[in-house]
Amino acid sequence: MMDIDLRSTMDIQITALEWMLKDDKYYKYYPDADEDACLEQLPDGTLKVTPEKYYGRVMDEFDYSLDRVYSGKSPILLRLQEFYKRCWVLKLQDPYISLIVTILTQNKTADSARKTFHRLQHHYKGIDVYKMAGADKGELERLIKTSGPYKADYIIRSSKEIIERYKGSLEWMRDVPTREAREALLSLTGVGPKTADCVLLFSLGHDVVPVDTHICRVTQRLGLSCASGDSEAAKRRVKEDLERKEMIPGMAHLLIINLGRDYCKAVIPLHHICPVEDICPKRGVERAEKPLETS
């Protein structure tokens, strides 16, 4: 039986956003069966899948745990790797699906993107590049309203571009140099650097580090990057520092995301319980916050 922390696993990677979260349970729509599978973690730690017939199919989506993502010398990353060893990487999924999910996350929460994607899947009985290229714009705007109705234009236009330029598939990007695949993704409507890198890493197998505001904040505090702030220039510097200077594998950035979500928070970092508190340089943090005393 695999030892998995379901919450950590499902909160931090694009492929996991195909699962909608509701009442501490995760639901994924399988178009071929026109049915949802439900995944939950029981109090004893075991994973339950309903209907049970989907158990093997669901569990096959878990690939390997985070204690296998890094083999370098950074004491901080080695500590985090052990701390988050019950968090798993999900297997590579359809790059087009990951593209749509990532677009839905732009400037929105993961929870919003999950719900919107699940709604799209049910409405269209499974989405693909041809369905989205031919979608009615007004209808699509209503379906994705909570994740940004303006993204309907991105989805329709980028889908048409994929059909016109690449015969309706992004699969060819697995076998070309990363730079070529990244440039092709960036040429699509609505696709920026973070979106392109998420698709490259989580669905196409390219070893890149997606960088956003949260990654900027945490890597700077950890001393893994010399950048400051979260401007586009800072993000480019963070990406260069992580990929070239620190030689961090793409999937290892999940360790940094986990730390930022759980402890290295933007306003009040939880230094008093942080797993790397004693070895973190706390770059840019004026003082370590202490827990409030209660009377």
Side-chain angles (χ1 to χ4, degrees):
M1 181 177 65
M2 295 185 291
D3 185 18
I4 296 174
D5 179 340
L6 190 59
R7 183 191 70 88
S8 290
T9 297
M10 301 300 262
D11 275 3
I12 62 172
Q13 46 193 309
I14 291 299
T15 45
L17 299 186
E18 294 182 37
W19 292 84
M20 183 185 71
L21 176 62
K22 182 179 180 181
D23 299 328
D24 295 324
K25 299 178 182 180
Y26 295 87
Y27 296 85
K28 181 173 180 176
Y29 177 72
Y30 288 104
D32 59 323
D34 190 20
E35 188 176 22
D36 278 349
C38 173
L39 175 63
E40 62 180 309
Q41 189 148 41
L42 301 180
D44 65 0
T46 59
L47 299 181
K48 178 182 178 182
V49 177
T50 310
E52 191 175 356
K53 65 182 179 180
Y54 287 104
Y55 184 83
R57 185 172 181 174
V58 170
M59 297 308 295
D60 189 53
E61 295 191 18
F62 294 88
D63 203 357
Y64 55 90
S65 58
L66 285 193
D67 60 0
R68 294 171 53 189
V69 299
Y70 181 70
S71 58
K73 298 180 180 180
S74 167
I76 287 177
L77 290 176
L78 290 171
R79 175 87 61 88
L80 291 176
Q81 185 169 245
E82 175 62 22
F83 189 78
Y84 286 114
K85 64 182 179 182
R86 295 181 62 238
C87 177
W88 282 59
V89 172
L90 299 183
K91 288 184 178 178
L92 302 184
Q93 303 292 341
D94 182 339
Y96 177 75
I97 295 296
S98 289
L99 174 64
I100 299 305
V101 173
T102 310
I103 288 175
L104 293 176
T105 66
Q106 294 172 354
N107 301 312
K108 294 293 178 179
T109 64
D111 187 51
S112 171
R114 290 180 193 273
K115 292 177 180 177
T116 300
F117 180 73
H118 194 254
R119 188 182 309 119
L120 287 178
Q121 285 279 70
H122 271 273
H123 181 83
Y124 292 103
K125 302 300 180 183
I127 66 172
D128 61 38
V129 67
Y130 295 99
K131 289 180 181 179
M132 294 297 95
D136 177 80
K137 185 177 179 181
E139 180 180 58
L140 186 54
E141 286 175 340
R142 291 190 293 272
L143 289 168
I144 68 172
K145 182 177 180 180
T146 56
S147 293
Y150 64 91
K151 295 175 184 176
D153 184 57
Y154 295 171
I155 292 172
I156 293 172
R157 290 177 61 187
S158 63
S159 297
K160 288 180 178 179
E161 290 163 356
I162 292 169
I163 293 171
E164 293 167 359
R165 301 174 191 174
Y166 312 125
K167 299 180 180 180
S169 176
L170 299 178
E171 293 292 337
W172 63 274
M173 295 183 182
R174 297 185 191 277
D175 303 316
V176 299
T178 299
R179 182 175 180 178
E180 180 180 346
R182 193 170 192 266
E183 289 178 351
L185 286 170
L186 288 171
S187 73
L188 298 174
T189 299
V191 177
K194 168 73 181 304
T195 297
D197 283 344
C198 282
V199 176
L200 287 170
L201 175 64
F202 291 115
S203 288
L204 291 168
H206 290 271
D207 199 14
V208 299
V209 179
V211 174
D212 59 10
T213 298
H214 307 293
I215 288 290
C216 277
R217 179 185 76 249
V218 181
T219 54
Q220 290 167 27
R221 288 177 177 175
L222 293 174
L224 295 174
S225 173
C226 296
S228 297
D230 61 354
S231 65
E232 290 306 312
K235 290 175 182 175
R236 289 194 294 270
R237 177 60 185 273
V238 167
K239 182 176 177 64
E240 182 176 339
D241 285 344
L242 294 180
E243 291 182 350
R244 299 181 183 180
K245 182 180 176 182
E246 297 291 339
M247 301 296 288
I248 293 176
M251 286 300 180
H253 95 291
L254 296 178
L255 299 169
I256 300 171
I257 293 178
N258 257 331
L259 184 71
R261 181 200 60 199
D262 294 339
Y263 303 100
C264 198
K265 299 180 183 294
V267 180
I268 303 179
L270 305 180
H271 296 293
H272 59 288
I273 55 174
C274 177
V276 295
E277 193 279 334
D278 60 317
I279 56 175
C280 175
K282 303 179 183 62
R283 180 172 172 264
V285 180
E286 293 183 5
R287 59 190 177 89
E289 297 289 343
K290 295 182 180 179
L292 296 175
E293 295 182 0
T294 58
S295 56

